[in-house]
Amino acid sequence: MEKLYPLEAERILLGTLLIGDGKDLLAIENLITREDFSSNSHSNLYAWIQQKVSRNETVNIHVMVEK
């Protein structure tokens, strides 16, 4: 993948989504897509968060660790 953003910025964004139970996703979903992430693992985590939010399922660090 091409490095689009600093990895630290990606980590902060994903951490914010996890800590906030995905509530901020609607605010950024039209601006950021899975393809915008430099890291495959970050891209996969973002897709997981999107999937959980679309199903009205819990999004947080505890659920992620269990999966």
Side-chain angles (χ1 to χ4, degrees):
M1 283 185 136
E2 180 184 334
K3 188 172 182 181
L4 304 173
Y5 298 103
L7 290 176
E8 187 62 26
E10 293 181 8
R11 288 184 194 112
I12 291 168
L13 172 67
L14 294 169
T16 299
L17 290 173
L18 288 170
I19 289 169
D21 294 325
K23 292 179 181 125
D24 296 324
L25 181 64
L26 296 176
I28 63 163
E29 202 167 29
N30 293 329
L31 303 172
I32 298 174
T33 67
R34 181 180 183 170
E35 291 77 30
D36 289 326
F37 289 90
S38 301
S39 162
N40 282 330
S41 59
H42 291 173
S43 176
N44 291 339
L45 180 54
Y46 184 73
W48 179 82
I49 293 168
Q50 285 182 305
Q51 181 183 60
K52 290 292 202 180
V53 169
S54 72
R55 294 179 180 171
N56 284 332
E57 295 177 0
T58 302
V59 174
N60 63 41
I61 193 75
H62 303 292
V63 173
M64 185 191 71
V65 170
E66 288 177 6
K67 299 294 177 191

